[in-house]
Amino acid sequence: MPSVDIPVIIVGASVSGLASAACLGRLGIGCQVVERSDSIGAPWRHHYDRLHLHTNKRLSRLPYFSFSEGVPRYPSRQQVVDYLDAYALRFKIEPLLGTPVLSVRREDDVWVTETPFRQFVSRAVIMATGPFNKPRPFSCAFTGPVLHSSQYRTGAAYRGQRVLIVGFGNSACEIAIDLYEQGAFPLMSVRSPVNVVPRDILGIPVLEVSRVLSVLPPRVADRISAPLVRLLLGDVSRLGLRRMPYGPLEQIARDGKAPVLDVGVIRLIRQCRIKVLGDILHVAGDTVTFSGGASERVDAIVAAVGYEPDFSIVKERAPGLYFCGYHISPTGQIREIARDARRIAADIASRYSAR
């Protein structure tokens, strides 16, 4: 049997990986974080410039370390990057960067993690690459530029152009706002029914409200909050959007998907600054035809069709393999990651620290 050289290997050096390392360190458990990119927090460094946390900083802090006082309620992309850098420094987390993991396999009662440079043997492995690790593919016969939202940086390059955003998730909506603010003409292809909730309710972050309502069954909580949401946002079905047959909290519980937190897209749609269209039926040259019969000429397409987790390196599931940050929570993804990291570290301590 191979000898254990590191108690725990953590795959991924973004939010989940850093939180896990900090929690293990507090319990005196050694670990090594392994990251394929050349920096920590790589997803946050490479997202579009306008990105902000859609969840308030009070509920988006990692264990044992808060955002600084000068950071606004909804930190910007760069402020999150700075926070993650400070977090790694605070807890002396030194990931092996530029080190992709090729495979994670069970061998006797230990885990073997293979990289191009060396092999690690550990009691436990924490997968911390997250549910948004692999862009979903998108293709069509459009003759102009087509890019996934993961490749989008700023709308400045699209000034004066008609840009079609495919999808209506949180990234899609913020990209549409960015395009409008940069002088482009955004259109949105929306295939599925949606739930949209205001980011703040009477000045209170909606996730703070969700945290209170989470003690109730999701359907009951949705019924309580629905009249206020409708009062604040109006009837979105009048804007070309189809409402889901159940509310946002039930959507998370049933589908594992977050609703759209409105940061201004509904106002711009209502003002006809952003045009909502149906599903794409046909593409010919630079012209797109949508369900309902409308056709539009566009200059570029941004496919905000989402991401999916990638477990291809994991060769088997067995005791000692943990997953941090893969659960979508009604009270915020980063808050859930912090809770996950604490639970995982405590479980590892109870199972393996005495060996």
Side-chain angles (χ1 to χ4, degrees), residues 183-218:
F185 303 96
L187 306 91
M188 303 188 76
S189 170
V190 187
R191 179 177 63 181
S192 304
V194 299
N195 272 313
V196 185
V197 296
R199 188 178 63 177
D200 298 276
I201 294 179
L202 303 178
I204 301 171
V206 71
L207 288 201
E208 299 279 6
V209 178
S210 295
R211 193 167 65 91
V212 174
L213 292 175
S214 64
V215 300
L216 301 172

Side-chain angles (χ1 to χ4, degrees), residues 15 18 49 74 94 96 106 113 160 182 192 201 218 264 295 309 331:
V15 178
L18 296 178
D49 294 346
Y74 298 102
E94 298 181 354
L96 289 178
R106 185 77 167 172
T113 301
Q182 300 282 359
S192 304
I201 294 179
S295 291
T331 56

Side-chain angles (χ1 to χ4, degrees), residues 111-161:
W111 286 93
V112 178
T113 301
E114 297 278 0
T115 78
F117 314 112
R118 64 166 291 188
Q119 178 188 89
F120 297 95
V121 180
S122 60
R123 292 289 182 190
V125 172
I126 301 175
M127 291 295 298
T129 54
F132 313 115
N133 185 42
K134 183 180 177 182
R136 286 201 180 100
F138 174 86
S139 63
C140 67
F142 183 65
T143 55
V146 178
L147 65 156
H148 190 273
S149 57
S150 61
Q151 301 168 296
Y152 178 90
R153 295 293 176 268
T154 173
Y158 301 97
R159 181 178 300 275
Q161 297 184 33

Side-chain angles (χ1 to χ4, degrees), residues 298-328:
V298 298
D299 298 296
I301 294 178
V302 178
V305 294
Y307 300 79
E308 55 195 25
D310 184 2
F311 300 123
S312 59
I313 63 172
V314 178
K315 303 308 176 185
E316 57 190 308
R317 307 290 179 96
L321 179 64
Y322 297 87
F323 296 85
C324 182
Y326 291 82
H327 175 66
I328 305 300

